[in-house]
Amino acid sequence: MADEHNGPAGTPERHRHDGHDHDHEDDVDLLEEGTTPAADVAPGKTGPVQTLRTYAPVIISLVGLLMGIVLDKYADWFKDPVRLIGYIAAYLPVGWPVLKRAWKGIVSGNVFTEFFLMGVATLGAFGIREYPEGVAVMLFYTIGELFQDAAVLRARRSIKALLDVRPDEVTVMQNGKPQTVKAATVAVGAVVQVKPGEKVGLDGTMRSESGTFDTAALTGESVPRTIAKGESVLAGMINRQSLVEMDVTTPYQDSKLSRILKLVQQATGRKAQTQEFIARFAKIYTPAICGLALLITLVPYFFVADYQFRDWLYRGLVFLVIGCPCALVISIPLGYFGGIGAGSKQGILFKGSVFLDLVTQLKTVVMDKTGTLTKGVFAVQEVKPVGIDANKLAQLTAALESKSTHPVATALLAYARANNGRVHDGEKGYESISVEGVEEIPGHGLKGRVDGKEMLAGNAKLLQKFSVSFDDALTQIPYTIVMAALDGQFSGYFTIADEVKPDAAEAVKRLKADGIYTVMLSGDKSAVVEAVAKQVGVDEWHGDLLPEDKVTQVERLKADLSVNPKSKLAFVGDGVNDAPVVALADVGIAMGGLGSDATIETADVIIQNDEPAKIAMSVAIGRATRRIVWQNITLSLVVKGIVLVLGAGGLATMWEAVFADVGVAMLAILNAVRVQNLKF
């Protein structure tokens, strides 16, 4: 579905920069090496840094300009041609790269660029002997570009920070000895050793009994996670405790982290409508500014009695400087990339700036139940003992269920294991309880002799089969229920259900506060779905759905929104069966931590730590980004409009022109990077 939201086909034109230039006409690719003009890659670093060499041209020109101004005031000998040569020397360090870019643009047919505007305006200032102003305009323009580069670097680092969590080398066990090799050369099935404090380089499963890992780089979670033997370990996690070993399950280039990095790098190609509008606007606006500047210079000849070509040329040049669209065409994409960076800090991956815009238009959010609003893992919700201590019942039942591999048995064992420390003095945990003669009765449960007593553990049909009486009301409980009987007497029951995520209700509450209609769809039993729906507070819910039924429901909800083209629908899911509806939605959101690869590839937004609260947070980030983008558009157009009128009327000099161009660009850039520091 992502292609539906892409910008115009083709790759945006990009240039290798000389000193400080950007191809503002199309976009700024923050994820492409070489696109940051002040960028040099420092040894041992993953990203570019600004060096002293970057600032040398500005420093030389600034010193030359100040010396020229002082000599103009105090040195009688500082006259042409010495004065011209001095100011040319001050101009060239900052002006030559811009003139070179302007010439390349002219040769390639891309004439009306900001480089062309700056070149014509400053050379024109030299032509009318306003040397200090010509140097000052180019100098402050370059300073503004350097300031902008620093902002681009910051946004770029926040997005590319993921690169730091993928080590190039790993320790592989070969013939019982650890060997350090390139991660890209390690085959599936190899045994990898991860030392304490070391980053995991490949996806795999735990070979050791357990390990504690920091998953913040992948999910944004600060709480370390314990991973047991046989469970998945992902590239980018950091081993926090003892030495562990893992079996590699995925090639280096196919690891979940590698796929996330590819998705991030592709995000720049998907532009928001605002960006596309500004790019189209600049292609019309820049030639129009050049035409108006020419008219301001020449037309007064026919209407002004004391027409002075030099004065009107100066006004036209001021108009050119003011009209440079730099603030618009860099601050807008920078604002969107700031939003993408802010999302990545929170474990939310937007696959393009277009989706930052689309989430602001959401009117309906449809969510899957299992794995999205619930944890997707069976767990004991409550224990109701009859004539026996709850922990004692749990240990006896777990001892019997330890002979089964059913998911319900797994849930009971996990509960008993967690409560082993609360067994009364003299009592035993389930591992030490004797179990004999276990018989599995298909569709009913288990029967066996536990701790010397005949025990039954299963559903209502099992107890009915062995004539054990119990309250018929228990059959109305919507969740899975395991009943237990000891020596023919009903001893209590366990309710087992998929546990609701702690932040699910808060997530729904925030969405509803934003005026978004919430819907839950699930293939689970309707009674279970209703119980979860009431617990989390969604507006509408449907259960017993097949994958094609979910598609039908989403199509119905989209049809309800079709009366307003700006009203969008999002679907949030995690399973393979969710991929079709994720693709059908205007915005597909995947729970990426435990989600299926198919759903993650199809989705437009990925929540890497599986927290439902991040759904509402993604909307908040989108709205903050859009608000900042429109603030920049308004600021740029209003200030430029005012100063353009003043310049055309001869009331603004080159100095006001510099403020209107560079000053507004600086303010817009500062505002654009602000989104990365906002609290959501």
Side-chain angles (χ1 to χ4, degrees), residues 420-596:
N420 255 356
R422 295 201 292 271
V423 173
H424 296 315
D425 291 340
E427 293 183 355
K428 297 174 287 186
Y430 77 92
E431 301 96 334
S432 304
I433 295 175
S434 63
V435 181
E436 300 172 332
V438 177
E439 178 186 355
E440 183 166 355
I441 303 171
H444 291 69
L446 298 175
K447 173 180 178 290
R449 191 165 188 82
V450 180
D451 205 21
K453 299 179 180 179
E454 291 292 333
M455 186 170 190
L456 302 172
N459 56 26
K461 290 186 290 183
L462 177 68
L463 269 65
Q464 290 168 349
K465 179 179 178 68
F466 288 91
S467 304
V468 177
S469 60
F470 58 89
D471 188 347
D472 289 339
L474 298 181
T475 59
Q476 304 303 312
I477 295 175
Y479 301 112
T480 298
I481 183 170
V482 175
M483 300 183 185
L486 291 168
D487 288 338
Q489 297 294 316
F490 180 69
S491 301
Y493 67 91
F494 303 81
T495 56
I496 297 177
D498 189 1
E499 189 176 352
V500 173
K501 291 181 180 178
D503 61 334
E506 180 62 26
V508 172
K509 182 180 178 181
R510 284 188 62 181
L511 289 171
K512 292 169 79 169
D514 286 334
I516 296 173
Y517 188 71
T518 56
V519 182
M520 183 172 69
L521 305 179
S522 177
D524 207 345
K525 293 185 297 183
S526 290
V528 175
V529 174
E530 182 178 1
V532 173
K534 289 179 177 177
Q535 188 174 347
V536 300
V538 293
D539 297 305
E540 180 182 336
W541 62 89
H542 301 276
D544 291 313
L545 299 177
L546 297 172
E548 55 267 32
D549 297 327
K550 290 185 179 181
V551 171
T552 302
Q553 290 289 346
V554 170
E555 287 175 338
R556 173 184 64 81
L557 291 164
K558 283 190 71 174
D560 293 342
L561 295 175
S562 61
V563 292
N564 183 359
K566 289 187 180 266
S567 295
K568 304 299 182 184
L569 176 144
F571 183 88
V572 190
D574 75 313
V576 174
N577 63 343
D578 293 329
V581 268
V582 166
L584 177 63
D586 298 305
V587 181
I589 302 176
M591 289 293 180
L594 298 174
S596 75

